[in-house]
Amino acid sequence: MTAITDVVLAHGREGAVLLRSVIAYPSMMTLDVTAQLRRPLLDGPGTRGHNAPSLSARTSDSPSTGLVLFGLLFSDGSRFINFGHQEGHGTLLSLRGSGGGYQGQHTFAVSLPTAGRVEAWVAWHAASIPETMTTLDADLIRRASDFARGLWD
């Protein structure tokens, strides 16, 4: 079996975003994404907990570190994003997330990609990361799903 692990999706002067893993299941995949600050963006009293980046709009309460924007584009034109609802975009299903110590993690679920490629898009303006695209091999992910077995019928 082949895995996609520890792909640097984007980095800037103040932070980096990594795709820690992609796990393929029979009809879907999960993506573990981590955002890491190089150093605190805030100093002083009252900043505890506000230097953790967020990959979920529901948990982002820190305008200083901001929301890390993450999205996928499949070869067939399907688009998925990690926040809100935009016309023509599906929303990545949020499975879990956490943050602290200048790091935020989130696990998303989405359908298996169509054959070809997957473009992973990231932007994190608070960490000086402009919109950045990384190409992933959708065929590799689809082949990995062939090894997955359901627990129940």
Side-chain angles (χ1 to χ4, degrees):
M1 183 175 343
T2 309
I4 295 176
T5 60
D6 297 318
V7 175
V8 177
L9 296 176
H11 68 282
R13 291 187 321 267
E14 300 299 330
V17 181
L18 296 96
L19 178 59
R20 299 304 313 256
S21 68
V22 175
I23 300 174
Y25 296 92
S27 62
M28 63 174 281
M29 65 179 175
T30 60
L31 302 101
D32 291 315
V33 181
T34 297
Q36 178 72 51
L37 287 169
R38 182 174 160 202
R39 60 179 168 249
L41 295 180
L42 291 171
D43 293 313
T47 61
R48 181 181 159 104
H50 291 282
N51 275 302
S54 177
L55 286 133
S56 171
R58 289 183 292 195
T59 61
S60 181
D61 63 353
S62 176
S64 59
T65 57
L67 178 65
V68 180
L69 307 177
F70 175 68
L72 300 173
L73 172 63
F74 292 175
S75 292
D76 70 354
S78 299
R79 298 171 185 263
F80 303 91
I81 53 176
N82 66 327
F83 68 97
H85 300 285
Q86 292 183 6
E87 188 174 329
H89 290 73
T91 301
L92 293 165
L93 176 63
S94 171
L95 296 181
R96 67 182 165 270
S98 63
Y102 320 126
Q103 185 177 38
Q105 302 91 20
H106 216 91
T107 301
F108 298 102
V110 67
S111 60
L112 283 175
T114 55
R117 63 190 220 167
V118 175
E119 294 178 359
W121 292 88
V122 173
W124 185 13
H125 300 293
S128 301
I129 295 175
E131 189 172 292
T132 305
M133 188 271 292
T134 302
T135 301
L136 306 173
D137 184 347
D139 296 330
L140 179 69
I141 297 167
R142 294 178 64 78
R143 281 192 306 272
S145 74
D146 292 339
F147 294 97
R149 289 190 350 204
L151 297 176
W152 299 275
D153 291 332

